[in-house]
Amino acid sequence: MKRILTLVAVMALTAFSTISNAQTLKFGHIDSGELLQQMPEREQARVQLEKYAKQLEDQMAAMQTEFETKYQQYLEQADSLPQVLREAKESELTGIQQRFQAFQQTAQKDLSAKEGELLQPIIDKAKKAIDDVAAENGFIYVFDMSSGAILFNSDQSVDLLPLVLKKLGIQ
């Protein structure tokens, strides 16, 4: 009988310990989009990206101007040009238009690549800060609220944004 009571007591203590451990699980959340917006590096990346985009736009504008100028010249001279020259001008205009379209596609890809190149170090820095704060404070999960996939957020879930901003030295 004594052994049974001892066994029941040990099981009760184990169950109580398990329940208390379950209650100490810490969950956190953060809006990573808001975090990135508040990081000063994000503004610097935006400025660099805008400068790069402006260079590409200027080149496209120059190509467009070249096409329009040559097209206007063609229209003015088309009736007086021999067939061979007219076809050569038309071919030249088609080539300019094709180069413009190819440049436009390449510029779009380059701009996306440049954005990734500029943002990736910022994203990595934010992720490291989130990981560090979560580890330092004993969180087992941190949910990203910016994805919009979280359907419920309990009051017991801790918003890590202020802690991460502090870790990054952002006021």
Side-chain angles (χ1 to χ4, degrees), residues 74-99:
Y74 168 77
L75 288 178
E76 292 169 1
Q77 300 171 350
D79 294 336
S80 64
L81 290 175
Q83 181 70 24
V84 167
L85 286 177
R86 189 174 28 227
E87 289 174 0
K89 295 275 185 189
E90 289 170 0
S91 178
E92 180 184 11
L93 289 169
T94 302
I96 293 171
Q97 200 169 30
Q98 289 172 347
R99 281 195 328 269

Side-chain angles (χ1 to χ4, degrees), residues 155-170:
D155 291 342
Q156 294 175 348
S157 177
V158 178
D159 184 5
L160 297 183
L161 185 61
L163 297 171
V164 173
L165 289 172
K166 183 177 179 183
K167 178 87 174 170
L168 292 170
I170 300 170

Side-chain angles (χ1 to χ4, degrees), residues 16-170:
F16 178 73
S17 171
T18 303
I19 291 170
S20 68
N21 281 342
Q23 291 175 348
T24 61
L25 298 179
K26 292 175 78 175
F27 294 90
H29 62 274
I30 191 164
D31 185 336
S32 63
E34 185 177 338
L35 172 62
L36 291 174
Q37 289 298 327
Q38 292 190 33
M39 294 178 71
E41 297 93 334
R42 172 80 166 119
E43 179 61 22
Q44 295 166 352
R46 184 190 64 76
V47 168
Q48 288 180 1
L49 190 63
E50 284 179 0
K51 183 178 178 182
Y52 187 70
K54 177 80 169 100
Q55 290 173 337
L56 295 175
E57 288 172 10
D58 289 348
Q59 180 61 37
M60 285 192 294
M63 292 174 83
Q64 183 69 29
T65 301
E66 176 190 9
F67 175 78
E68 289 172 2
T69 301
K70 290 191 179 200
Y71 183 67
Q72 278 301 71
Q73 289 172 349
Y74 168 77
L75 288 178
E76 292 169 1
Q77 300 171 350
D79 294 336
S80 64
L81 290 175
Q83 181 70 24
V84 167
L85 286 177
R86 189 174 28 227
E87 289 174 0
K89 295 275 185 189
E90 289 170 0
S91 178
E92 180 184 11
L93 289 169
T94 302
I96 293 171
Q97 200 169 30
Q98 289 172 347
R99 281 195 328 269
F100 178 77
Q101 289 171 348
F103 181 79
Q104 203 172 20
Q105 291 172 351
T106 303
Q108 193 89 27
K109 289 177 187 174
D110 284 355
L111 190 60
S112 293
K114 184 72 166 177
E115 182 178 28
E117 174 189 317
L118 291 171
L119 290 181
Q120 195 58 51
I122 299 167
I123 292 169
D124 292 344
K125 182 178 178 179
K127 183 175 178 349
K128 182 178 180 340
I130 293 168
D131 292 348
D132 290 349
V133 167
E136 290 166 5
N137 292 283
F139 289 94
I140 61 167
Y141 284 103
V142 176
F143 299 96
D144 187 355
M145 304 300 281
S146 68
S147 67
I150 306 296
L151 301 176
F152 174 73
N153 180 26
S154 168
D155 291 342
Q156 294 175 348
S157 177
V158 178
D159 184 5
L160 297 183
L161 185 61
L163 297 171
V164 173
L165 289 172
K166 183 177 179 183
K167 178 87 174 170
L168 292 170
I170 300 170

